């Protein structure tokens, strides 16, 4: 059952198989305890072998979930009795085993989620370690800071590969429906595969994509100059993690506003550090300097929340900040979002209503 074998989907399958075994293991430990303490059934070599196999399996499970350090104290207690085959402490050993199973069930259960995009049971993958490694290496001041919609634990889906920001945007788009048999016209800039697949699967969406450099888009264009698109063309625009790459972001925001229909929605996200309000930007830096100043080698701007919202407002947008209150606490819990899972939907001077 090596977790290193296979891809993320296979690893997810193994983790769920482990998690679903734990209730039966707890029941077996309770049964052994009852037989030993109440019925005075002999503790045979066969039972010793079963208990030791269970201990070995639990340690392997802990390795797979990366919690060996967290259970170190419990391991020491269990190993001391099991290695000596202490006949007078068998009930205590079973108690320790049950406590370990309880801990693992609670720990793993808190991380057992469901992906709202592929509708599968998942243990989300963490954000790639490379971000922290490179941010520390190049001296990024905020290397350990929390970003909105950049979950450290629930970052990627091991099945459909949707990032947490993709999943929350898709949750919002589920609420945007066409009326009277018409189609919603949608544009995604620098398309995310998860958003693209979702939009193309909707019969009521006419989907287009654009980027200046990417292949396989509907048309190639610079967001600062979208002259080929008429005014008020799109019902939905998705512009996620794009503006930190754009030199004249105000001009790009004006283009987003111009292309959006009066009742349209523009999902516009950028990397935002929790608590940071002001923006820093500099163009023409080396990738190493970009890592140091902005936290990523191809970024030339690090927005502050207050300034980001003000810039959008300055071109005529009303900025809706959507979080747990919008989507619901139960939704956040089931699908792996947290208080930092906040997205921004820009509209033309009207607030969205729950």
């Amino acid at each position: 059952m090596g977790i290193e074998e296979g891809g993320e989907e296979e690893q997810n399958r193994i983790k769920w198989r482990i998690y679903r075994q734990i209730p039966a293991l707890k029941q077996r430990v309770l049964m052994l305890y009852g037989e030993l303490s109440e019925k005075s059934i002999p503790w045979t070599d066969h039972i010793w072998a079963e208990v030791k196999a269970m201990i070995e399996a639990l340690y392997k499970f802990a390795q797979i979930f990366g919690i060996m350090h967290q259970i170190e104290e419990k391991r020491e207690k269990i190993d001391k009795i099991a290695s000596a085959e202490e006949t007078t402490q068998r009930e205590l050993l079973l108690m320790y085993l049950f406590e370990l199973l309880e801990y693992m069930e609670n720990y793993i259960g808190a991380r057992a989620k469901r992906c709202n995009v592929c509708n599968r049971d998942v243990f989300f993958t963490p954000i790639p370690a490379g971000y922290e490694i490179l941010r520390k290496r190049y001296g990024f001041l905020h290397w350990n800071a929390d970003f909105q919609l950049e979950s450290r634990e629930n970052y990627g889906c091991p099945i459909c590969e949707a990032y947490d920001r993709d999943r929350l945007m898709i949750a919002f788009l589920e609420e945007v429906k066409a009326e009277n048999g018409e189609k919603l016209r949608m544009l995604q800039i620098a398309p995310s595969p998860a958003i693209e697949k979702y939009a193309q699967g909707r019969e009521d969406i006419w989907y287009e994509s654009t980027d200046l450099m990417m292949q396989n888009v509907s048309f190639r264009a610079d967001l600062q100059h979208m002259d080929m698109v008429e005014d008020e063309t799109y019902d939905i625009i998705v512009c996620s993690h794009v503006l930190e790459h754009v030199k004249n972001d105000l001009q790009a925001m004006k283009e987003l506003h111009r292309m959006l229909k009066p009742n349209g929605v523009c999902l516009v996200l950028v990397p935002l550090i929790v608590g940071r309000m002001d923006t820093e930007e500099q163009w023409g830096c080396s990738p190493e300097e970009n890592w140091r100043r902005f936290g990523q080698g191809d970024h030339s701007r690090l927005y502050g929340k207050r300034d980001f919202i003000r810039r959008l407002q300055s071109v005529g947008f009303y900025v809706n900040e959507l979080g747990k209150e919008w989507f619901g606490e139960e939704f956040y819990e089931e699908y792996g979002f947290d208080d930092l899972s906040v997205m921004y939907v820009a509209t033309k001077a009207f607030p969205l209503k729950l």
Side-chain angles (χ1 to χ4, degrees):
M1 194 184 292
I3 196 69
E4 69 280 356
E5 298 176 4
E8 290 180 348
E9 185 171 356
E10 173 64 12
Q11 294 174 19
N12 184 72
R13 186 188 65 79
I14 290 170
K15 287 181 175 180
W16 272 96
R17 189 173 71 188
I18 291 170
Y19 179 49
R20 289 170 176 141
Q21 286 182 40
I22 291 179
L25 292 173
K26 286 173 61 180
Q27 188 64 33
R28 179 57 179 160
V29 170
L30 286 175
M31 184 181 298
L32 288 173
Y33 185 90
E35 290 177 350
L36 180 66
S37 62
E38 297 174 11
K39 299 181 181 179
S40 300
I41 294 177
W43 186 292
T44 63
D45 290 342
H46 178 76
I47 293 177
W48 263 120
E50 179 185 357
V51 169
K52 289 183 175 180
M54 189 184 303
I55 292 170
E56 184 180 348
L58 291 181
Y59 291 169
K60 190 169 186 178
F61 296 168
Q63 286 180 328
I64 287 171
F65 282 95
I67 57 173
M68 289 295 285
H69 178 71
Q70 290 93 319
I71 68 166
E72 185 174 351
E73 185 176 342
K74 292 179 174 61
R75 286 177 57 204
E76 290 177 358
K77 293 177 180 179
I78 291 170
D79 291 345
K80 183 177 180 179
I81 300 173
S83 61
E85 296 191 2
E86 288 281 354
T87 58
T88 60
Q89 299 190 59
R90 292 166 180 169
E91 292 180 33
L92 186 60
L93 174 60
L94 291 174
M95 287 176 57
Y96 289 154
L97 270 179
F98 189 82
E99 289 177 2
L100 176 57
L101 283 161
E102 285 265 274
Y103 175 83
M104 293 180 68
E105 184 175 43
N106 291 333
Y107 180 94
I108 298 169
R111 289 153 180 79
K113 303 297 180 182
R114 192 164 185 84
C115 176
N116 62 296
V117 176
C118 62
N119 203 32
R120 298 281 294 278
D121 292 332
V122 296
F123 289 98
F124 288 116
T125 58
I127 190 169
Y131 283 102
E132 180 176 319
I133 291 170
L134 291 173
R135 286 168 179 172
K136 289 176 70 174
R137 177 184 299 170
Y138 293 113
F140 181 50
L141 183 63
H142 311 285
W143 68 268
N144 198 34
D146 289 320
F147 282 77
Q148 289 186 346
L149 267 184
E150 188 180 280
S151 176
R152 298 188 187 204
E153 287 193 353
N154 297 331
Y155 184 72
C157 175
I159 309 298
C160 67
E161 301 181 348
Y163 299 148
D164 53 344
R165 61 178 181 264
D166 296 326
R167 301 194 300 272
L168 199 60
M169 286 190 288
I170 287 173
F172 173 79
L173 291 174
E174 281 284 276
E175 303 176 28
V176 182
K177 304 293 184 181
E179 297 179 354
N180 303 319
E182 298 180 354
K183 281 184 176 287
L184 298 168
R185 193 163 180 184
M186 174 177 171
L187 175 68
Q188 184 177 196
I189 297 111
S192 153
I195 299 287
E196 183 161 86
K197 183 177 180 180
Y198 168 79
Q200 290 176 338
R202 287 261 306 255
E203 293 184 357
D204 62 341
I205 287 180
W206 175 9
Y207 174 79
E208 294 177 298
S209 61
T210 188
D211 189 79
L212 185 59
M213 306 299 294
M214 294 176 68
Q215 303 292 326
N216 300 319
V217 291
S218 303
F219 59 94
R220 302 278 287 274
D222 182 345
L223 183 56
Q224 299 167 103
H225 306 288
M226 301 288 288
D227 302 337
M228 72 294 296
V229 178
E230 295 182 0
D231 294 355
E232 300 181 354
T233 293
Y234 295 104
D235 300 282
I236 303 168
I237 300 176
V238 174
C239 181
S240 175
H241 286 229
V242 174
L243 293 172
E244 65 273 17
H245 303 270
V246 177
K247 188 170 186 179
N248 191 340
D249 63 337
L250 285 177
Q251 177 60 31
M253 291 174 182
K254 289 177 183 177
E255 288 290 78
L256 292 172
H257 188 275
R258 180 185 65 79
M259 293 186 294
L260 191 67
K261 289 183 179 180
N263 293 322
V265 291
C266 180
L267 285 62
V268 54
L269 303 179
V270 296
L272 290 175
I273 293 176
V274 175
R276 183 184 176 94
M277 296 298 170
D278 298 320
T279 297
E280 179 182 359
E281 54 193 316
Q282 182 64 51
W283 300 88
C285 298
S286 66
E288 294 78 9
E289 182 68 1
N290 287 337
W291 275 110
R292 187 187 72 81
R293 297 186 63 173
F294 312 117
Q296 194 158 320
D298 59 348
H299 291 185
S300 296
R301 180 183 292 113
L302 180 61
Y303 284 101
K305 174 183 172 179
R306 177 176 55 201
D307 182 61
F308 172 62
I309 291 175
R310 284 178 178 174
R311 294 189 190 201
L312 287 168
Q313 290 172 336
S314 73
V315 304
F317 278 124
Y318 182 94
V319 182
N320 300 267
E321 185 174 342
L322 308 185
K324 186 181 292 185
E325 290 186 1
W326 176 273
F327 294 98
E329 189 168 347
E330 290 185 4
F331 176 87
Y332 264 41
E333 175 62 28
E334 182 175 1
Y335 295 104
F337 299 106
D338 56 35
D339 290 341
L340 303 183
S341 301
V342 178
M343 61 175 289
Y344 299 89
V345 179
T347 53
K348 288 192 169 181
F350 68 91
L352 298 171
K353 296 181 180 180
L354 284 170

